């Protein structure tokens, strides 16, 4: 990673996480320059996001925002609930929603009356890593549901939302597979191009 970081012919670096337990992830990520951080995971890029400065945004939250924008989902003044508080998805997506004037609630494993909170969301973003955790009674009729979860159950990929039972209740919902995943990859490619431009066009 250090060698790639020092190589001017390399414009972007992605470290596939999680790493094996005997390797310290934080130490490896620190070797990547911020201008080659196509994942948007480094402290410098996360800090800039929180401060509202131009930066490389983590691919999955970036992709979620692109999907909402493409579908014309109104965010300003809407009640958005983010289920999950990871540094990779939950926290950055909450900041991006705030930047678009949504009222944001972040829920997690210790949240009380979780179903009550999620059922009041105009926009529900689920990233908790529990297969089919969100049931129909946890979702507001007409809501927009973004399922970030990817879980393997009986050899099949399923999301964190019980898609088959929730689909008929909501205005829009992303499938798993075929929803957020491809957008994450697309935004990774966009981030890579942006990293190239920043390094070579200035």
């Amino acid at each position: 990673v250090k060698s790639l970081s020092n190589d001017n012919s390399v414009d972007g670096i992605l470290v596939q996480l999680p790493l094996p337990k005997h390797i310290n992830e934080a130490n490896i990520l620190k070797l990547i320059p911020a201008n080659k951080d196509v994942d948007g995971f480094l402290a410098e890029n996360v800090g800039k996001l929180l401060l509202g400065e131009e930066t490389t945004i983590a691919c999955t939250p970036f992709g979620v925002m692109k999907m909402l924008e493409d579908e014309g989902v109104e965010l300003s003044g809407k009640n958005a609930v983010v289920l999950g508080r990871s540094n990779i998805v939950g926290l950055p997506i909450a900041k991006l929603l705030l930047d678009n004037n949504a009222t944001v609630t972040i829920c997690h494993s210790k949240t009380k009356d979780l179903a009550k909170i999620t059922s009041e969301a105009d926009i529900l973003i689920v990233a908790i890593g529990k297969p089919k955790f969100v049931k129909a009674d946890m979702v507001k009729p007409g809501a927009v549901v973004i399922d970030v979860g990817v879980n393997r159950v009986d050899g099949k990929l399923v999301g964190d939302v019980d898609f088959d039972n929730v689909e008929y209740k909501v205005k829009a919902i992303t499938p798993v597979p075929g929803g957020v995943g491809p957008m994450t990859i697309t935004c990774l490619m966009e981030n890579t191009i942006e990293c190239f431009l920043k390094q070579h066009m200035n």
Side-chain angles (χ1 to χ4, degrees), residues 10-176:
V10 175
D11 302 303
I13 301 172
L14 177 154
V15 176
Q16 186 67 56
L17 303 177
L19 293 174
K21 291 183 179 179
H22 67 283
I23 300 175
N24 186 302
E25 290 182 359
N27 288 342
I28 297 299
L29 292 176
K30 285 176 184 176
L31 297 175
I32 302 172
N35 64 356
K36 294 187 180 185
D37 174 29
V38 292
D39 260 332
F41 288 172
L42 297 187
E44 181 177 335
N45 286 325
V46 173
K48 285 183 176 180
L49 174 65
L50 292 177
L51 292 172
E53 298 178 12
E54 183 179 338
T55 188
T56 303
I57 301 170
C59 305
T60 298
F62 189 17
V64 168
M65 296 305 292
K66 290 270 191 184
M67 295 174 88
L68 293 170
E69 180 183 350
D70 189 63
E71 287 297 312
V73 177
E74 178 63 42
L75 298 177
S76 183
K78 298 297 183 179
N79 185 19
V81 172
V82 179
L83 186 46
R85 54 179 168 178
S86 73
N87 292 332
I88 296 171
V89 179
L91 295 181
I93 195 65
K95 178 59 168 66
L96 292 169
L97 290 164
L98 281 170
D99 289 346
N100 283 271
N101 301 314
T103 299
V104 181
T105 302
I106 302 174
C107 297
H108 46 80
S109 60
K110 304 299 183 185
T111 300
K112 295 181 179 179
D113 298 322
L114 179 61
K116 180 179 184 298
I117 296 170
T118 59
S119 64
E120 294 173 350
D122 301 307
I123 299 143
L124 178 61
I125 298 174
V126 187
I128 55 166
K130 295 183 179 180
K132 299 185 179 182
F133 178 82
V134 174
K135 307 297 184 186
D137 61 354
M138 299 173 68
V139 179
K140 178 181 180 179
V144 173
V145 179
I146 305 288
D147 189 350
V148 181
V150 179
N151 311 279
R152 192 169 293 278
V153 177
D154 298 328
K156 294 183 178 179
L157 291 179
V158 298
D160 291 347
V161 178
D162 185 4
F163 183 92
D164 292 339
N165 292 309
V166 172
E167 178 184 13
Y168 303 101
K169 189 176 182 180
V170 297
K171 179 180 178 183
I173 183 171
T174 58
V176 176

